[in-house]
Structure formats: structure tokens, C-alpha cells
Amino acid sequence: MSDRKSAIIFDLDGTLLDTLKDLADSGNDVLEARGFPRHPTDAYRTFIGNGMVNLVRDIFPEGSRPTEGTETDVILAEYRAAYGRNWQNTTVLFPGISDLLNTLAERQVPIGVLSNKSHDFTLKCVDSFLSEWSWDIVLGARDGIEKKPDPAGAVEAASAVGCAVEDCYFIGDSDVDMMTAVNAGMHAIGVSWGFRPVEELRAAGAERILETPEDLLALL
């Protein structure tokens, strides 16, 4: 590692945790209750990443999507209730994440999480699945703070871990994550095991694509 202090900021869904089926089941519960067909689980790969509000609108067919305001708020509440039932059903860490986090802890590298998942569910997931490690900052989507790819959350995370943005590595699985890193002046590092294709990550500015979590260690 160089003499300059580095830090790692991770996306959550599709990067640290495989949450796909629990998120998909929750969306499908909402659709089914309203008389709409369910999507295959893999279809949710394109719905995840832009926050819950966008997800609950995008899963509905064209012409049936809820309008902004009260209608979206009602369906969002339904989705949050469904995810509140499902969020621990099948979610697991991706292979190799535990070993990576153990090594980062041994090296005393500051680590954080920045997600577009709502802040309360972000905290629940970290507390439930990632509590073995000490996180310097955990941030989800919050009222009054622009979501990724706006750089506000990433800059806040860098400040919390005590690292200059240019020395932070933002690790994610979507174009939104790569754009966030670029917008914040961080290193944009994509992962191959997430929910989106690597071509999307490269097109959005990824400096490097990790084939395994261990590959990150070579960058520090």
C-alpha cells in the first residue's frame, strides 16, 4: 500500500450482498396483489440500483406505472412492507467477500457502504449480514440527500473515513456506481459478479473490473 491513506467505499446490493431474489420476491408480491404478472427474478437486475421509488414504478407495465405523488407513495409503502417480510430469506454475502473484508481489516483500511437502498434497510442489512466487520460509515438513501450518481453521499463517506476523494476506491456493480465514483473524483472499480453486465460498467467509466473480490487487494 502507498504512503497515502486509501479507503474503500462499497455499494451494497450486487456488490457485497446477493439480495436479488429477496428484492424480486418483494416486487412480485406487490405486482401479484394488484393483479399484475410477476417478473422472472433475473428481470430485477435492471430494476435495482436507482432506489426503491424508481424500482416500484419500473416494475409495472408501461401505461400502468404509478404517477408521482400519492400513488407512488402508496405502492412504495406496499413494497417496503413486502421487503420487510422478505429481506432475510435468501440474501447472502457473495463468495470471497468475507476474506476480502478480513484482509482489509488486517491492513486497517477504512471501509464504508453507500447504497441507494433506503437508509433503514441499508442499516438492517449491514447489521444482519456484515456486522462481523467494523464499518466507518454506512449510508443509504435519505430524504434531502440526492441519491447516486449524485456525488454528495460519496463525498460525505470520504469525509467520514478521513480520506481524500482521489484516494477512495468506489466498488460497485452498476453504471450508477461508476458514475458516482467519476462524479465524486474517486477511483471507479466495477465487479463482475453483480447484477449488471461488465460492458455497462466500462461504458460508465470503470477503471478496472474485478473478477474476484481478492483482486481489489492488488490496487491498494
Side-chain angles (χ1 to χ4, degrees):
M1 187 183 297
S2 68
D3 292 336
R4 295 183 66 172
K5 182 179 182 181
S6 298
I8 311 297
I9 309 298
F10 292 96
D11 171 53
L12 186 63
D13 299 278
T15 301
L16 293 171
L17 298 179
D18 185 355
T19 55
L20 183 62
K21 189 174 188 306
D22 290 344
L23 291 167
D25 287 348
S26 301
N28 284 337
D29 286 352
V30 172
L31 289 171
E32 191 170 55
R34 287 179 166 265
F36 291 96
R38 299 168 70 90
H39 293 292
T41 296
D42 271 357
Y44 280 82
R45 293 177 183 274
T46 62
F47 299 141
I48 297 166
N50 291 298
M52 285 185 171
V53 171
N54 288 312
L55 185 152
V56 300
R57 299 191 75 240
D58 291 346
I59 62 176
F60 282 87
E62 287 282 356
S64 299
R65 290 178 178 168
T67 56
E68 293 186 15
T70 301
E71 189 176 7
T72 293
D73 291 344
V74 169
I75 295 176
L76 177 61
E78 293 172 4
Y79 181 82
R80 284 179 55 84
Y83 190 54
R85 297 188 297 269
N86 294 327
W87 69 279
Q88 296 183 89
N89 289 351
T90 66
T91 291
V92 293
L93 274 69
F94 282 105
I97 292 296
S98 292
D99 289 341
L100 170 63
L101 295 177
N102 286 338
T103 301
L104 294 177
E106 290 168 5
R107 295 187 182 184
Q108 299 183 326
V109 177
I111 56 174
V113 168
L114 176 63
S115 176
N116 274 350
K117 184 194 292 286
S118 66
H119 187 62
D120 57 340
F121 278 119
T122 297
L123 292 176
K124 283 183 178 181
C125 284
V126 172
D127 288 345
S128 181
F129 301 108
L130 296 160
S131 61
E132 183 177 338
W133 299 277
S134 179
W135 296 89
D136 295 276
I137 186 71
V138 175
L139 299 173
R142 297 158 293 158
D143 291 340
I145 306 294
E146 292 293 329
K147 297 190 296 294
K148 297 181 296 184
D150 189 281
V155 172
E156 180 181 351
S159 177
V161 300
C163 185
V165 290
E166 60 266 25
D167 295 320
C168 283
Y169 293 80
F170 195 94
I171 318 302
D173 73 308
S174 73
D175 58 345
V176 169
D177 296 320
M178 299 303 97
M179 290 187 287
T180 301
V182 171
N183 292 341
M186 295 180 173
H187 295 283
I189 309 299
V191 306
S192 65
W193 58 83
F195 299 157
R196 301 291 183 89
V198 296
E199 294 79 11
E200 176 182 302
L201 308 183
R202 292 193 178 100
E207 297 176 17
R208 176 84 175 265
I209 302 295
L210 306 180
E211 296 300 327
T212 69
E214 184 182 17
D215 291 343
L216 176 60
L217 300 175
L219 304 181
L220 303 179

